[in-house]
Amino acid sequence: MKFNVNYYQSDVACKYCKKTYKTYKARPVRCKIIGEDTDFMPIYEGLNPLLYEVAVCPHCGYAYHKSMTRTYGPFLLMIEELYINELKTSFDLCGERTIDDAIMSYKLAYLVARSAMEEALLMGNFALKIAWLYRLKDDTKHELHYLQAARDFYSKAFASNRDGEERIKYLHAEISLRIGDIDEARKEFSRIMSDRNMSNKYRKYARNRWEDYKYTLAPKVKEGEVNEVSI
């Protein structure tokens, strides 16, 4: 392709069919982060690289994300049986993508990962990113569905490094708040704030997030009533 200021073409060797194809990637210099949501969704000005994180083979439909680990040997046999053989259509997601294209790419990666029985942490991350994409569309119904799925996976996940474990605990509380499970959110934020083994960073995140909820988002109570969200 001719030079494009927003994208470049990346050569990808498909893990499944072994064919090589070219797919768009966002140029990092064109992706400017201007903020971050409370569940760590980066907010970009202009081009969003999240739309191009998953590579989808136009030959066989195999979807790949760099965080996947079960991409060889017996796992490919499972992917063939449970994913490749079940595909009813082909996909060409190698060019410029819409949000809907990005959602499709992540759903395909989600199905590949599920077929290969990837770890719960990876599945949770995929579900969370699909929720982010629906948030960009202002599609609250589907966002909440995938947030619920992400929380379920994070409940099963175990991180081998300290920062990862703390991140999961915080996300479990944050997502609980977002999906309206206030009792669970209150319990988990309280645990994080009172746990002296947690880093100051995540204890501060939890305190700020819960206080923000209590004072700006929680239902207002009338005089004489008890605010049930207090901790």
Side-chain angles (χ1 to χ4, degrees):
M1 71 172 183
K2 296 181 180 179
F3 180 79
N4 188 306
V5 296
N6 292 323
Y7 313 103
Y8 66 94
Q9 283 187 317
S10 175
D11 291 318
V12 180
C14 179
K15 301 287 185 179
Y16 176 74
C17 73
K18 310 305 180 185
K19 294 181 180 179
T20 301
Y21 60 96
K22 294 181 182 293
T23 189
Y24 272 19
K25 295 291 184 182
R27 294 188 185 277
V29 295
R30 308 297 294 181
C31 305
K32 180 182 178 182
I33 295 179
I34 59 174
E36 185 178 71
D37 218 333
T38 52
D39 59 356
F40 305 128
M41 183 185 84
I43 300 170
Y44 290 91
E45 182 179 69
L47 189 61
N48 189 334
L50 178 63
L51 275 62
Y52 298 91
E53 284 190 355
V54 175
V56 180
C57 179
H59 305 293
C60 67
Y62 179 88
Y64 175 74
H65 186 274
K66 63 182 180 180
S67 64
M68 290 175 168
T69 60
R70 299 182 177 182
T71 59
Y72 58 90
F75 300 115
L76 289 179
L77 295 178
M78 295 165 61
I79 291 168
E80 179 178 32
E81 178 181 355
L82 300 174
Y83 173 77
I84 297 294
N85 291 343
E86 296 297 321
L87 286 179
K88 305 301 181 184
T89 185
S90 59
F91 301 93
D92 185 0
L93 299 173
C94 296
E96 189 171 351
R97 291 179 180 176
T98 63
I99 295 176
D100 284 331
D101 291 334
I103 289 172
M104 175 60 70
S105 73
Y106 255 105
K107 285 184 176 180
L108 293 175
Y110 182 94
L111 292 174
V112 170
R114 187 177 67 178
S115 299
M117 300 179 66
E118 289 273 8
E119 296 291 338
L121 177 58
L122 181 142
M123 298 298 297
N125 290 340
F126 280 1
L128 180 60
K129 289 188 175 184
I130 295 172
W132 290 351
L133 289 166
Y134 276 117
R135 190 178 305 164
L136 293 176
K137 286 190 66 178
D138 293 321
D139 186 336
T140 303
K141 177 181 177 181
H142 287 95
E143 177 192 347
L144 292 176
H145 172 80
Y146 281 96
L147 284 176
Q148 177 73 62
R151 191 185 72 161
D152 291 344
F153 281 119
Y154 287 140
S155 295
K156 302 174 184 177
F158 173 79
S160 59
N161 62 82
R162 177 175 173 79
D163 185 70
E165 185 176 359
E166 292 183 336
R167 183 183 177 91
I168 293 170
K169 289 179 179 179
Y170 172 81
L171 278 173
H172 187 279
E174 164 66 20
I175 293 172
S176 295
L177 190 61
R178 284 180 172 269
I179 65 177
D181 190 349
I182 307 305
D183 287 341
E184 183 68 14
R186 178 177 61 239
K187 179 177 66 176
E188 293 303 319
F189 279 130
S190 179
R191 285 177 177 173
I192 294 171
M193 287 184 278
S194 61
D195 186 354
R196 298 299 177 182
N197 292 320
M198 293 286 286
S199 67
N200 289 333
K201 178 176 75 172
Y202 281 98
R203 289 169 65 194
K204 182 177 179 180
Y205 281 166
R207 182 172 60 255
N208 290 346
R209 181 64 171 126
W210 185 251
E211 288 181 351
D212 181 62
Y213 171 75
K214 283 198 302 180
Y215 295 119
T216 65
L217 300 175
K220 302 301 181 182
V221 297
K222 297 179 181 179
E223 185 177 354
E225 292 181 339
V226 177
N227 188 339
E228 294 182 355
V229 301
S230 298
I231 59 172

